[in-house]
Amino acid sequence: MPLKTSNFSDSLNRRAFCVIPRRAVGFLRPIFFLLITSSAFAQTSSHPGTSTFDGQSWWNYVKVLADDNMEGRDTGSEGLKRAEAFIVDELKADRLQPAGTNSYYQPVKLIARRTLENDSSLALFHDGKSEPLSFEADAYFSNRFSQAPKVDAQLVFVGWGLDIPEKGYSDLQGADLKGKVAVLLYGGSPSEIPGPLSAHYNAMRQRWKALKNAGAIGMIFIFNPHSMDIPWERLKMLRTQVGMAPADETLDDAAGIKLGVAFNPANADKLFAGSGHTFQEISDLAKARKALPQFPLKVEIRARVKMDVQPLESSNIVAKLDGNDPKLKQSCIVMSAHIDHLGIGEPINGDKIYNGAMDNGSGSAMLLDFARFIKENRPTFKRSVIFLWITGEEKGLLGSRYFAEHPTVPASSIIANINTDMFLPIISLQVVTVYGISESDLGEWAAKVAKQHGIEAQDDPKPQRNSFIRSDQYSFICKGVPAVAMGVGCKPDTPQQKTIDEWLHNRYHAPSDDTRQPVNLETAGKFEALLWDLLAFTANSERTPEWKPQSFFKRFAQH
Ligand SMILES: [Zn+2]
């Protein structure tokens, strides 16, 4: 999902290398011709062997996972099952040990929800009149939430909708929210709030908890026009996607919510009518990342909704490489990537398959390429490594949340999580973004390894996008496990930045995130090599990575 991605070029000797095609699902038999590069890299890393990541074998895996046959890998879909079957076949061939509950699989029970819009309506009520809202133009029910069939409620605007005790900051303080619906600007925080803290409190888990404690029964979130990746024109198409929640309600971050509605910022003035405020005023403050006002709105919400609700099962995939140190092998590093994507949806330019090549065929393929590398080079580490392909990320980090609650290895044995989600090798690699760089030893190690590769490591340049909590590492962070997520980075106001921004605007969560898009294989290969070395370093480290003493996230540490 969020952006994130590598270099080593000192090749000593090169030889052509042909890998015998592995058993794949019937229709897919990738044959990979690889150029193995033995590099000087081995000098800076603590594992024996060679780095052989040129991006090509990685891309071949992406092509399989993002093939139209996989139908966009929606959680619980037949397409995702086919993609997972392909991964399992590869793992068997690569002789990584199964470490799920059912061989390589860890089933996850979910609930799927979809708004039946023909039987549903949203309206604003003011001055004795009802003003219907259009699902296309104004606002829609988010399928992520369990909506109550009928909600008539007063509205209170609560700015960013954040409650951050550490900073003595609260948008909710003094607000009369009892039995009311909170209206908030979604995505971001005032500039005084550090990125990770902002990210943490923007997460649904914290946000809804604070609103619920304040008495709110629901929320209407207006997308922050200054941090929106996806324009409304595409969001409104994505709204018909099935939403999901954990079958185990204790894991549902939005349990008890009665109304969850997304609002188009372009039409948000409808909410502010008669309040003495305009959305322009709010938007200008938000752009400057200032505190936002809090005030009751003059309009009320009238919501009627009918939802189709179905039980659903999907699976994580878990494989293990045992460590070789009698003591350290009891601990493990979880290397993760989500395998699910959005499936089949509203067509754009006649294409209805949301292939998810970058999001997150790219991360999933990298893990597969690591498995290939292990088979070919037989590297061993002191600690064990868990390779985890996660389901339900797009639906709200559901698979990783489940794994973190029900790990298939002892919870206390998990010492680190390295996650990769949509690392975007679409520009040359000079900078790598490390989400969580200042939070733990792992962040520091990531920066160190990047430096060895001649690549600059930077912190999240856009903290208002909340990337630190927007992918699966967050489920581990909340369990106290030091984690990083990494991707290809760039400097602000550069052509590279423009390329990334355009990608987000046009291809992110769109059918055009497919294998026909431009990709930089050199960057992909370098990024893989960098992550491999971070994994190797961590897995061979006698030291267990710790949270930094000043890190906000240290509080979740179990020891
Ligand atoms: Zn995504």
Side-chain angles (χ1 to χ4, degrees):
M1 169 224 58
L3 24 155
K4 329 308 157 165
T5 354
S6 87
N7 168 48
F8 66 102
S9 55
D10 318 83
S11 53
L12 298 175
N13 42 56
R14 308 180 85 112
R15 60 198 165 95
F17 194 88
C18 170
V19 178
I20 310 292
R22 263 147 277 171
R23 267 197 55 242
V25 273
F27 52 90
L28 298 159
R29 282 181 181 274
I31 299 174
F32 304 150
F33 291 92
L34 305 174
L35 198 64
I36 295 287
T37 306
S38 168
S39 91
F41 195 68
Q43 295 166 5
T44 56
S45 86
S46 44
H47 68 87
T50 56
S51 289
T52 61
F53 302 110
D54 61 3
Q56 191 57 59
S57 53
W58 164 80
W59 185 240
N60 288 339
Y61 284 123
V62 175
K63 282 185 188 158
V64 174
L65 298 174
D67 190 278
D68 279 354
N69 279 306
M70 303 305 186
E71 298 175 330
R73 308 186 310 274
D74 197 8
T75 298
S77 70
E78 291 304 312
L80 180 62
K81 284 179 193 156
R82 278 195 288 278
E84 293 197 331
F86 170 78
I87 292 172
V88 166
D89 274 358
E90 293 292 300
L91 291 172
K92 283 180 186 161
D94 294 339
R95 294 198 206 96
L96 282 182
Q97 300 303 311
T101 49
N102 175 16
S103 182
Y104 292 94
Y105 292 96
Q106 180 190 38
V108 181
K109 286 192 165 43
L110 302 167
I111 297 168
R113 301 190 189 105
R114 199 167 51 88
T115 303
L116 302 172
E117 288 191 346
N118 289 336
D119 301 313
S120 305
S121 65
L122 275 172
L124 295 176
F125 187 79
H126 53 98
D127 304 320
K129 290 190 303 265
S130 178
E131 176 191 2
L133 294 174
S134 146
F135 295 133
E136 294 266 319
D138 300 316
Y140 59 82
F141 292 97
S142 166
N143 289 336
R144 175 170 182 178
F145 303 107
S146 65
Q147 316 270 1
K150 176 183 173 188
V151 172
D152 292 345
Q154 295 182 334
L155 305 177
V156 181
F157 183 68
V158 292
W160 301 100
L162 298 172
D163 193 33
I164 307 178
E166 290 79 4
K167 287 274 158 190
Y169 178 92
S170 179
D171 287 311
L172 310 183
Q173 203 171 11
D176 175 15
L177 281 165
K178 206 154 177 22
K180 298 177 184 175
V181 169
V183 176
L184 54 92
L185 191 73
Y186 180 71
S189 63
S191 54
E192 74 203 64
I193 310 297
L197 209 58
S198 167
H200 178 71
Y201 282 102
N202 263 286
M204 191 55 66
R205 219 191 276 201
Q206 304 305 325
R207 185 190 289 286
W208 175 238
K209 199 199 283 174
L211 288 169
K212 195 164 75 174
N213 288 344
I217 59 165
M219 61 182 159
I220 295 176
F221 41 100
I222 307 167
F223 292 102
N224 179 353
H226 310 290
S227 65
M228 257 173 118
D229 289 333
I230 305 180
W232 179 266
E233 287 310 301
R234 290 209 291 109
L235 278 175
K236 73 177 188 195
M237 294 185 179
L238 290 167
R239 79 180 192 278
T240 58
Q241 288 259 326
V242 168
M244 292 183 197
D248 175 357
E249 222 197 49
T250 62
L251 300 184
D252 186 353
D253 296 335
I257 198 168
K258 290 193 162 62
L259 182 76
V261 164
F263 215 99
N264 181 1
N267 290 352
D269 266 329
K270 293 186 180 191
L271 291 164
F272 293 94
S275 71
H277 296 268
T278 63
F279 184 66
Q280 188 61 51
E281 168 199 337
I282 304 298
S283 173
D284 289 346
L285 289 168
K287 190 176 183 188
R289 299 192 61 207
K290 292 192 169 147
L292 298 177
Q294 175 211 95
F295 50 89
L297 295 171
K298 288 282 182 283
V299 303
E300 296 178 11
I301 189 84
R302 300 276 186 269
R304 303 288 179 273
V305 66
K306 208 167 162 192
M307 297 202 102
D308 178 46
V309 182
Q310 305 283 345
L312 187 92
E313 191 174 290
S314 189
S315 293
N316 295 323
I317 294 180
V318 201
K320 190 175 181 187
L321 177 69
D322 280 319
N324 61 12
D325 181 281
K327 201 163 139 257
L328 293 177
K329 70 186 277 196
Q330 307 302 331
S331 63
C332 65
I333 290 99
V334 174
M335 192 83 212
S336 58
H338 78 86
I339 175 68
D340 68 296
H341 192 55
L342 303 173
I344 294 171
E346 291 294 314
I348 298 179
N349 298 327
D351 186 359
K352 61 183 170 64
I353 300 177
Y354 288 62
N355 304 75
M358 294 299 168
D359 186 11
N360 182 29
S362 62
S364 291
M366 193 180 76
L367 263 53
L368 277 172
D369 209 28
F370 281 10
R372 171 209 49 97
F373 181 85
I374 290 165
K375 181 191 183 183
E376 290 169 5
N377 295 278
R378 308 258 158 214
T380 54
F381 305 127
K382 291 177 182 166
R383 299 182 192 269
S384 301
V385 180
I386 294 286
F387 293 94
L388 178 62
W389 286 264
I390 294 165
T391 189
E393 189 273 351
E394 302 285 8
K395 310 295 183 190
L397 315 186
L398 302 180
S400 59
R401 180 82 191 271
Y402 188 83
F403 183 87
E405 292 297 330
H406 304 284
T408 57
V409 292
S412 60
S413 71
I414 303 173
I415 61 143
N417 171 232
I418 302 169
N419 188 50
T420 182
D421 182 0
M422 208 173 95
F423 66 90
L424 290 186
I426 56 173
I427 54 177
S428 66
L429 185 69
Q430 278 130 31
V431 183
V432 66
T433 301
V434 181
Y435 300 91
I437 193 169
S438 311
E439 305 300 327
S440 71
D441 295 331
L442 195 59
E444 195 181 303
W445 296 351
K448 223 178 252 174
V449 172
K451 202 173 170 202
Q452 289 171 349
H453 285 240
I455 292 164
E456 183 189 339
Q458 68 176 11
D459 199 355
D460 185 355
K462 292 189 170 179
Q464 64 277 22
R465 291 185 70 240
N466 300 323
S467 298
F468 199 47
I469 61 144
R470 276 175 60 183
S471 189
D472 294 306
Q473 70 274 5
Y474 190 63
S475 298
F476 291 94
I477 293 167
C478 288
K479 285 290 172 189
V481 178
V484 289
M486 292 169 70
V488 175
C490 57
K491 294 286 174 194
D493 305 317
T494 56
Q496 286 85 355
Q497 176 77 64
K498 196 166 165 247
T499 304
I500 299 274
D501 286 348
E502 280 173 7
W503 189 94
L504 287 170
H505 193 266
N506 298 317
R507 294 188 194 266
Y508 176 52
H509 283 199
S512 57
D513 177 14
D514 62 15
T515 54
R516 285 170 299 185
Q517 68 186 297
V519 59
N520 186 327
L521 295 187
E522 193 189 351
T523 289
K526 289 174 176 177
F527 182 78
E528 284 190 277
L530 199 162
L531 257 77
W532 174 267
D533 275 20
L534 175 60
L535 173 63
F537 184 88
T538 310
N540 283 325
S541 170
E542 303 271 335
R543 247 182 76 209
T544 304
E546 302 285 350
W547 294 100
K548 296 288 183 194
Q550 76 280 6
S551 173
F552 166 78
F553 300 101
K554 188 175 161 58
R555 70 187 57 197
F556 301 115
Q558 312 281 320
H559 49 84

